[in-house]
Amino acid sequence: MSGATARGSSDATVASVASPALQDRVLILAPAGRDAHLAASVLERAAIGCTVCCDVQAFCSEFKRGAAAGVLTGEALAPATRGRLVDEFADQPLWADFPLVVLAGRPITREDSRRLVQALDELGNVTLLDRPLHVETMVSTVRAALRARKRQYQARELLCRLQEGVRERDHFLATLSHELRTPLGAIRHATQVLKNSAVPQAERPLAIVDRQVTHLARLIDDLLDVSRVTTGKVILQRHTMDLRSVVEQTAQQMESTFTEQGLRVERNLGALPLWVHADAVRLEQVFTNLLTNAVKYTPAGGGIQITAGLEPGGGAPDSPNGAVWVKIVDTGIGLSGEQVDGIFDMFAQVDQSLARSQGGMGIGLTLVRSLLTLHDGTVTAHSAGLGKGSEFTVSLPACRESRVMASPAIAAPPAASGSSQRRVLLVEDNADNRELLQELLELEGYEVVVAVDGAEGVGRALEFSPDVAIVDIGLPVIDGYEVARRVRAALGEQVTLIALTGYGRPEDRRRSAEAGFDTQLTKPVDFGDLRKVLARPRKRRTLRLDPRAPTAQTNS
């Protein structure tokens, strides 16, 4: 296949020899003589569809449209042409490795041989055929390349199905969380109303209900967060902070749990700050899961010890400032060697019995490891054996003290009294949530007007001119986002807009901020959290997140 003059018009960039599906055809680039059309005729007789390209630009253009393999002659491997092909193939998706068949004569000199080897190495997936060659050799080689490409297409289809499965899973989990959070919100509001009724005999069962609602909400959050982390959808909001503050606050928030379980808790976090550059909300989530795990597997009368410190120059190879560490040691049921090895795996369970008295889905520690990995940190587990307690050690890269920014997870909450925001509009279509939340707000002394759908909510807002509008996102007629946009446009910055939603994904929070909400709270809403938000003085609009927020999105 050489010699003579190339046939065909020089004005045509691509000559179609056959009309197969684009992804199943072979592209031919052979600039010398009649080689391109001779190769095309050979492949056409073998029922292999192909497209002849007159230059590398045409080849790359057709490659982008779709092709199964390429046939090149040695003359097409000039440095400029080869560089263009290398650049083009570098952008292939993960499933793809475009196969090339190169028809080249034997190198005459050692330098020719060196150049050929370099060219083939740069192009990647190449099969070299020496000329002259038998037609059968060329046909069988091209068919082998097509079979390999078919396998790649199968891998592509599998990846597409997997990605679609992930999208369906995420949609299902988001929908499930919404459907679960709505009744949980009603239950939580009902328990708060009953608590305020001061019925002594109801105090203990109400505390149990409230604790179990909190547990269910945390399970939902963990399940969604594992999905976000594994698909790379978690974006950390890092600030320089003293790690001790996060650990201390987490422990304080769990004081009632420690007391109820009859556990002794000792904290020794040292006297010096432990500076880290991290997402305080996510670290609180890490330590909440670790302490919850310790409580779950430590019998009444046992103890939990929390210590922290700095290891200069150690524990974090990529940190010139060393590592800070936090250890949580319990006197609980301990771990066997096999359990230690797999404790951070998804769905790992210490209690494998049918009774499963401790509950849980086995995702909390998986989430801990994943969140720490995002922080360039680690978590390790150790136990002397069954019945001898467990020790979990968190290590994070230390940083030098710099401009320390306040974090929503560790900042002191504003006072819950003295608020001037007393007129509240509540827009909620769920009757139970609406009636119970209205009663709670009125018990706090607020003047409350309610609406059952988005259109009515906008109308009531214009009539009532509330200080605060609490708006459910999933409303009939018009949704909560549109309510916020219309109310903000009509009343401006004089009204505080609070979104209530069963969805807590980062994209949902971004939409809330863009619609004009100041704060988004995820159901089931703790009325104490809502009380704190209502007590805040009116400030420049900033989207504030509740403690379970996956990211800290803001909108000024």
Side-chain angles (χ1 to χ4, degrees), residues 303-324:
I304 298 173
Q305 186 178 59
I306 309 170
T307 57
L310 172 66
E311 186 177 357
D318 295 330
S319 173
N321 301 307
V324 298

Side-chain angles (χ1 to χ4, degrees), residues 332-337 339 350 383-390:
I333 64 174
L335 300 165
S336 67
Q339 289 170 334
V350 173
S383 177
L386 294 176
K388 297 181 179 180
S390 302

